[in-house]
Amino acid sequence: GQNIDQPTEMTATEGAIVQINCTYQTSGFNGLFWYQQHAGEAPTFLSYNVLDGLEEKGRFSSFLSRSKGYSYLLLKELQMKDSASYLCAAFHGSSNTGKLIFGQGTTLQVKP
Amino acid sequence: DADVTQTPRNRITKTGKRIMLECSQTKGHDRMYWYRQDPGLGLQLIYYSFDVKDINKGEISDGYSVSRQAQAKFSLSLESAIPNQTALYFCATSGTSGGSTDTQYFGPGTRLTVL
């Protein structure tokens, strides 16, 4: 079966670093996505990992370990506007038949 | 202009009514998806379509139907709406090949309330 787990809520301070973890169990795993979603808005793409290791994009980085079924999203130099939900999603299946399985999302609150 | 649009953005209806939610995209993508989002439950896949002649059920298709009228249009229907279909509905699109082109791009959402 498919299962994605991530913490429900996290709180961090402006300027700090926060790490949001995600574990997954999906058959036919073929990549891990992170999305950001502000309340009442559409999810927007942040990052994609298919190979083990760290992908860095400015203040945001994402890490994947396929052998451990584990990923994290690292947010540096937190800003108030980073308060949002962060969705972990595992792509399973082939490129012709695959689809995304989403976790329930982690709501991050950034405090001054 | 937005690449993925949804109409209506908000809808309040009554139990038993038929409702259609529409999605259009200008990204030239072949793949389109419908999700619903409930508080604390994340995004759940209702239906998806990999091209105009391909329609597939997702995790929670009961009570819903879809129509892929063209590459750019994918509509979701609730034949007889019920209160537990009250949710935020998102349409999404993605490209055809594997890897990062499977990235899904979401429309702004439709907030549906069934009384």
Side-chain angles (χ1 to χ4, degrees):
Chain A
Q2 294 87 35
N3 192 43
I4 312 290
D5 286 316
Q6 52 182 132
T8 304
E9 296 179 342
M10 298 183 72
T11 302
T13 303
E14 190 176 17
I17 299 173
V18 70
Q19 178 174 311
I20 303 174
N21 296 323
C22 171
T23 58
Y24 64 88
Q25 294 175 332
T26 66
S27 56
F29 174 80
N30 204 7
L32 195 292
F33 290 82
W34 284 95
Y35 283 82
Q36 180 190 60
Q37 185 180 24
H38 287 98
E41 297 183 9
T44 55
F45 170 73
L46 285 179
S47 69
Y48 168 75
N49 295 67
V50 65
L51 300 176
D52 285 0
L54 188 68
E55 294 279 344
E56 297 186 75
K57 278 187 180 181
R59 294 190 300 116
F60 292 4
S61 302
S62 57
F63 172 83
L64 177 66
S65 169
R66 294 179 68 121
S67 62
K68 295 182 180 178
Y70 168 69
S71 174
Y72 67 72
L73 181 69
L74 192 71
L75 292 75
K76 303 176 185 175
E77 302 170 15
L78 280 172
Q79 301 176 7
M80 298 299 292
K81 67 179 182 179
D82 296 331
S83 292
S85 286
Y86 291 87
L87 311 178
C88 171
F91 186 85
H92 81 106
S94 70
S95 60
N96 291 328
T97 62
K99 53 187 182 288
L100 283 179
I101 304 297
F102 283 86
Q104 79 275 20
T106 298
T107 300
L108 173 66
Q109 184 179 18
V110 180
K111 294 185 173 179
Chain B
D1 289 339
D3 295 318
V4 186
T5 58
Q6 293 183 234
T7 56
R9 293 294 312 279
N10 289 281
R11 182 72 183 268
I12 299 174
T13 190
K14 295 182 179 179
T15 297
K17 293 292 187 180
R18 183 177 187 273
I19 298 296
M20 179 180 286
L21 309 183
E22 299 189 4
C23 177
S24 295
Q25 52 111 349
T26 58
K27 299 183 78 67
H29 286 166
D30 286 335
R31 301 181 177 191
M32 299 186 74
Y33 311 80
W34 275 105
Y35 293 89
R36 67 175 279 174
Q37 187 173 42
D38 299 279
L41 291 181
L43 289 161
Q44 296 175 278
L45 184 62
I46 306 172
Y47 270 96
Y48 59 106
S49 169
F50 283 176
D51 63 43
V52 174
K53 298 180 180 178
D54 176 78
I55 302 289
N56 303 282
K57 292 183 178 180
E59 308 162 67
I60 55 164
S61 59
D62 288 348
Y64 301 94
S65 63
V66 291
S67 174
R68 186 82 184 266
Q69 301 96 321
Q71 186 203 35
K73 297 182 182 297
F74 192 37
S75 60
L76 176 72
S77 294
L78 288 69
E79 296 301 325
S80 180
I82 56 177
N84 75 0
Q85 291 177 314
T86 293
L88 187 56
Y89 289 84
F90 287 104
C91 174
T93 74
S94 69
T96 55
S97 56
S100 61
T101 53
D102 287 304
T103 300
Q104 293 186 18
Y105 297 90
F106 287 81
T110 295
R111 187 168 295 281
L112 177 66
T113 303
V114 184
L115 302 176

